[in-house]
């Protein structure tokens, strides 16, 4: 299998903060790769660069054989990359279905304007988008609340809505940034099942998650960051037994204990 995503010596600086330092790794099509590390390790920063929200300070990112690190972010989704956000980004006054449709419009050939002006071709595309949106709402189990305003949904359902919206664009690579944050035990287990079902559809998935049960269960490979640096990469088992990984996590717990004293 060829590499779908290649991160080559990527560094990101925010003023004096080095959020990512010389990170290199690649991952094969069809895999689920977990990205873990203590708070502030640089996980979301790396996701933001893969989705071209901002460019790396140094290094290159390649997706599906194309260099993508200097592309404007609107060109990323059409290449086949979709994501969800750590801090949810849903339109609270729109219905669940409309939220998923919006994700598709920004990705459509005819675009929002031609849909608004009902130009030729737009109607057919609109129908297709509607069908795709429904399909994904059913997939995540939100069809019963399709007409409910998103602002009225509990957190667990909002996370599913973000997943549906990302999936509706039919990505090759799906980035999930803490998709289980704030979910209870059962919801987290159900989310793990869903991620594995998405994998079965042939979608490659890059998962940032603090819930270790979820990460260890869904990931083929895990990349570990600490203070901006990649400190380990391997199978879930390899990473769990890695001395530097254990130290990085224990170190954080000790610091937290000190704070709480
Ligand atoms: N847009 C930004 N501007 C300035 N500093 C930033 C920005 N984004 C991230 N940082 C800084 O970069 C470092 C890494 O942050 P990042 O959000 O990538 O960590 P993270 O691993 O996702 O953490 P968490 O698990 O808490 O979400 C932190 O010091 C953070 O304050
Ligand atoms: Mg983060």
């Amino acid at each position: 299998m060829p590499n779908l995503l290649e991160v080559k010596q990527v560094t990101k600086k925010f003023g004096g903060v080095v959020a990512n330092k010389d990170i290199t790794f690649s991952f094969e099509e069809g895999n689920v790769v977990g990205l873990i590390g203590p708070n502030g390790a640089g996980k979301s920063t790396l996701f933001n660069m893969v989705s071209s929200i901002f460019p790396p300070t140094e290094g290159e990112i390649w997706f599906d054989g194309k260099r993508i690190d200097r592309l404007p972010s609107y060109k990323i989704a059409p290449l086949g990359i979709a994501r969800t956000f750590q801090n949810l980004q849903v339109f609270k006054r729109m219905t669940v279905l409309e939220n998923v449709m919006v994700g598709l419009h920004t990705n459509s050939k005819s675009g929002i304007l031609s849909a608004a002006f009902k130009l030729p071709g737009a109607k057919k595309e609109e129908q297709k988008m509607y069908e795709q949106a429904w399909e994904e709402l059913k997939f995540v189990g939100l069809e019963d609340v399709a007409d409910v305003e998103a602002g009225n949904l509990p957190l667990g359902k909002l996370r599913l809505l973000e997943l549906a919206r990302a999936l509706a664009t039919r990505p090759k690579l799906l980035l999930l940034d803490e998709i289980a944050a704030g979910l209870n035990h059962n919801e987290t287990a159900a989310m793990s099942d869903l991620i594995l079902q998405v994998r079965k559809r042939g979608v490659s998935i890059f998962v940032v998650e603090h819930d270790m049960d979820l990460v260890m269960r869904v990931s083929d490979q895990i990349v570990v960051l600490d203070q901006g640096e990649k400190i380990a990469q391997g199978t879930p088992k390899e990473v769990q037994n890695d001395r530097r990984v254990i130290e990085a996590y224990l170190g954080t717990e000790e610091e937290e204990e000190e704070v709480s004293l």
Side-chain angles (χ1 to χ4, degrees):
M1 277 281 191
N3 285 331
L4 186 66
L5 182 70
E6 291 193 48
V7 174
K8 298 182 182 174
Q9 295 184 296
V10 163
T11 292
K12 181 67 186 179
K13 294 180 187 162
F14 295 110
V17 176
V18 185
N20 277 181
K21 191 176 173 195
D22 198 22
I23 293 178
T24 296
F25 70 90
S26 55
F27 86 80
E28 281 178 23
E29 199 163 351
N31 271 359
V32 178
V33 176
L35 180 63
I36 64 170
N39 290 118
K43 305 178 297 293
S44 294
T45 299
L46 188 57
F47 266 27
N48 288 338
M49 289 188 287
V50 173
S51 47
S52 238
I53 287 175
F54 44 64
T57 311
E58 289 163 36
E60 297 177 4
I61 300 173
W62 290 70
F63 174 72
D64 214 8
K66 293 182 203 73
R67 188 167 171 187
I68 61 164
D69 56 86
R70 302 284 145 176
L71 292 180
S73 57
Y74 73 89
K75 289 200 172 163
I76 291 296
L79 290 179
I81 299 179
R83 69 171 295 178
T84 65
F85 292 86
Q86 183 169 351
N87 49 348
L88 292 156
Q89 300 209 349
V90 297
F91 298 101
K92 291 190 175 152
R93 303 294 297 275
M94 289 186 182
T95 68
V96 167
L97 180 64
E98 284 163 352
N99 265 282
V100 179
M101 296 284 286
V102 164
L104 286 170
H105 272 298
T106 51
N107 207 12
S108 77
K109 281 199 208 82
S110 48
I112 287 179
L113 280 183
S114 69
F117 292 117
K118 307 213 181 320
L119 296 182
K123 196 158 180 243
K124 208 170 155 204
E125 211 184 351
E126 181 84 12
Q127 180 63 28
K128 200 172 141 230
M129 284 193 255
Y130 179 80
E131 281 162 17
Q132 269 175 242
W134 261 112
E135 204 174 296
E136 299 308 337
L137 284 181
K138 278 192 214 148
F139 178 75
V140 302
L142 287 183
E143 70 270 36
D144 291 349
V145 291
D147 295 326
V148 174
E149 273 189 15
N152 293 331
L153 291 186
L155 179 70
K157 291 202 158 79
L158 289 174
R159 296 254 180 233
L160 292 170
L161 169 56
E162 280 224 327
L163 178 62
R165 184 170 57 192
L167 284 172
T169 66
R170 303 280 153 88
K172 286 184 200 156
L173 175 66
L174 178 64
L175 309 174
L176 303 176
D177 195 352
E178 301 204 21
I179 188 87
L183 302 190
N184 66 32
H185 182 76
N186 288 341
E187 288 168 334
T188 303
M191 189 62 84
S192 307
D193 291 342
L194 263 182
I195 292 171
L196 290 171
Q197 279 181 50
V198 175
R199 181 187 193 280
K200 273 197 197 143
R201 285 163 56 168
V203 180
S204 309
I205 311 170
F206 200 9
V207 192
V208 165
E209 189 51 64
H210 285 291
D211 188 290
M212 288 301 140
D213 288 342
L214 182 146
V215 178
M216 298 300 163
R217 186 164 158 231
V218 302
S219 303
D220 299 293
Q221 282 277 310
I222 295 179
V223 172
V224 190
L225 300 186
D226 185 29
Q227 298 180 26
E229 288 187 63
K230 182 176 114 173
I231 59 166
Q233 178 173 1
T235 61
K237 208 167 179 187
E238 284 164 355
V239 158
Q240 272 172 311
N241 294 319
D242 188 288
R243 188 183 50 81
R244 283 189 75 185
V245 177
I246 295 165
E247 278 171 11
Y249 276 94
L250 288 179
T252 328
E253 274 172 24
E254 278 166 20
E255 279 156 29
E256 277 169 8
E257 271 169 22
E258 275 169 26
V259 172
S260 66
L261 279 176

